[in-house]
Amino acid sequence: MAGNARTFMLMAGLTAIVMLLGWMMGGSGGAIFALLFAGAGNMFALWNSDKMVLRQQGAVELGPQDGGDLYNMVADLARRAGLPMPKVYLLPTEQPNAFATGRNPENAAVAVTQGLMRALNRDELAGVIAHELAHIRNRDTLTMTVTATMAGAIAMMGNLMLFTGGRDDRGGGIGAILAMVLAPLAAMMVQMAISRTREYEADREGAEICGNPDALASALQRIATAAGRSLNVPAERNPASAAMFIINPLHGLRMDKLFATHPPTEQRIARLRAMTGRAPGPWGHG
């Protein structure tokens, strides 16, 4: 509940930034227009973002016949989580990773990489899938779609202010320059804070769904170690999708914790290890 409250407050902050930029550009009417503009962008993203990101990642859908054990595992864990069966996709990359997408549990998908299938044992893979199902159950896929769209709208409005300027009584040229630089930066920080909050919640609930916190902790360690040694080309080409993955897929410069899309892996693992003995029986063992 604390995580949900924090997410709500952060999303309210994004909304406030949108309206502030609109107000600087056109007063109260501009604030309302900006809010409507962001809302229209959200509606488009809700219906199309899942298809777009799966296409960007080169995802291949798996059915009951060609999905084999992976498909059956997703089906069993979805039933345990009280969810409809999501679509299952395989990503043609050797970097171990996974993500979930979709506007609601009835229109959701779980995607895992070829590298993940090779790197993890059965219990670890179940932990990762349970983590992604927790995202779906909590509608985090919807939350992150909305926040990404609003952050994009803020960046667009900030750039627009560079050319149009703000109203003279609302900061003028100096205000426009500050808005162009600071508003997108603030939006990015809020978006990343929301992502970090939702990852902790998905770890906790994923461990409860699969019943094996240690397996999920072990999977996170393996993925984090391998992700730094292998390149995820589709993710590098579309860095905005990084927050969706269970571990940051981007390779290269280490960013300050303030700008991290995910919580530190060691903290996530420590929280999962602390759950041992409190979760229900391990998945696949009765």
Side-chain angles (χ1 to χ4, degrees), residues 70-169:
L70 173 63
Y71 187 94
N72 293 332
M73 179 182 289
V74 174
D76 289 344
L77 287 166
R79 281 193 293 269
R80 181 161 182 160
L83 291 169
M85 176 65 185
K87 292 182 178 180
V88 181
Y89 287 86
L90 186 66
L91 308 179
T93 178
E94 289 306 311
Q95 183 190 79
N97 229 315
F99 68 83
T101 187
R103 63 184 181 274
N104 56 37
E106 291 72 33
N107 295 275
V110 171
V112 303
T113 67
Q114 291 177 344
L116 188 80
M117 298 289 293
R118 294 190 178 100
L120 304 186
N121 63 38
R122 182 175 174 82
D123 286 341
E124 291 168 340
L125 181 60
V128 170
I129 292 171
H131 169 100
E132 300 306 333
L133 291 174
H135 276 310
I136 293 171
R137 189 167 69 180
N138 290 332
R139 298 179 182 264
D140 291 338
T141 51
L142 170 63
T143 300
M144 293 310 299
T145 296
V146 170
T147 56
T149 304
M150 294 184 71
I154 289 168
M156 184 185 303
M157 292 170 66
N159 290 332
L160 183 61
M161 288 191 69
L162 177 64
F163 299 101
T164 62
R167 293 275 289 272
D168 289 340
D169 56 345

Side-chain angles (χ1 to χ4, degrees), residues 54-78:
L54 289 167
R55 191 180 306 116
Q56 290 170 352
Q57 300 295 325
V60 177
E61 185 173 0
L62 302 178
Q65 289 74 34
D66 51 3
D69 290 341
L70 173 63
Y71 187 94
N72 293 332
M73 179 182 289
V74 174
D76 289 344
L77 287 166

Side-chain angles (χ1 to χ4, degrees), residues 5-273:
R6 184 165 184 247
T7 298
F8 176 80
M9 293 175 64
L10 289 168
M11 291 186 70
L14 278 178
T15 304
I17 295 173
V18 168
M19 296 189 71
L20 175 62
L21 287 177
W23 176 79
M24 291 183 69
M25 295 175 68
S28 58
I32 294 173
F33 176 80
L35 190 60
L36 292 175
F37 174 76
N42 282 331
M43 290 302 297
F44 176 82
L46 290 180
W47 289 94
N48 297 282
S49 62
D50 56 340
K51 304 178 187 67
M52 292 170 61
V53 71
L54 289 167
R55 191 180 306 116
Q56 290 170 352
Q57 300 295 325
V60 177
E61 185 173 0
L62 302 178
Q65 289 74 34
D66 51 3
D69 290 341
L70 173 63
Y71 187 94
N72 293 332
M73 179 182 289
V74 174
D76 289 344
L77 287 166
R79 281 193 293 269
R80 181 161 182 160
L83 291 169
M85 176 65 185
K87 292 182 178 180
V88 181
Y89 287 86
L90 186 66
L91 308 179
T93 178
E94 289 306 311
Q95 183 190 79
N97 229 315
F99 68 83
T101 187
R103 63 184 181 274
N104 56 37
E106 291 72 33
N107 295 275
V110 171
V112 303
T113 67
Q114 291 177 344
L116 188 80
M117 298 289 293
R118 294 190 178 100
L120 304 186
N121 63 38
R122 182 175 174 82
D123 286 341
E124 291 168 340
L125 181 60
V128 170
I129 292 171
H131 169 100
E132 300 306 333
L133 291 174
H135 276 310
I136 293 171
R137 189 167 69 180
N138 290 332
R139 298 179 182 264
D140 291 338
T141 51
L142 170 63
T143 300
M144 293 310 299
T145 296
V146 170
T147 56
T149 304
M150 294 184 71
I154 289 168
M156 184 185 303
M157 292 170 66
N159 290 332
L160 183 61
M161 288 191 69
L162 177 64
F163 299 101
T164 62
R167 293 275 289 272
D168 289 340
D169 56 345
R170 297 182 176 90
I174 296 177
I177 293 174
L178 289 175
M180 181 193 70
V181 176
L182 297 180
L185 180 62
M188 180 180 67
M189 292 172 62
V190 170
Q191 182 187 10
M192 291 176 176
I194 291 173
S195 175
R196 293 194 296 267
T197 298
R198 303 322 301 166
E199 287 303 315
Y200 280 132
E201 291 293 319
D203 284 344
R204 181 183 63 79
E205 292 195 23
E208 292 173 351
I209 291 170
C210 73
N212 195 338
D214 284 337
L216 178 53
S218 176
L220 290 176
Q221 184 63 66
R222 287 180 187 270
I223 297 170
T225 301
R229 297 197 300 254
S230 55
L231 190 66
N232 186 330
V233 176
E236 295 288 345
R237 290 174 178 169
N238 303 278
S241 65
M244 298 177 58
F245 286 83
I246 189 169
I247 291 289
N248 188 349
L250 302 182
H251 189 269
L253 295 176
R254 297 290 183 181
M255 296 193 305
D256 185 86
K257 291 181 180 180
L258 184 64
F259 298 98
T261 57
H262 295 68
T265 303
E266 59 272 18
Q267 291 185 16
R268 297 171 66 183
I269 291 173
R271 290 190 181 202
L272 287 165
R273 299 292 190 200

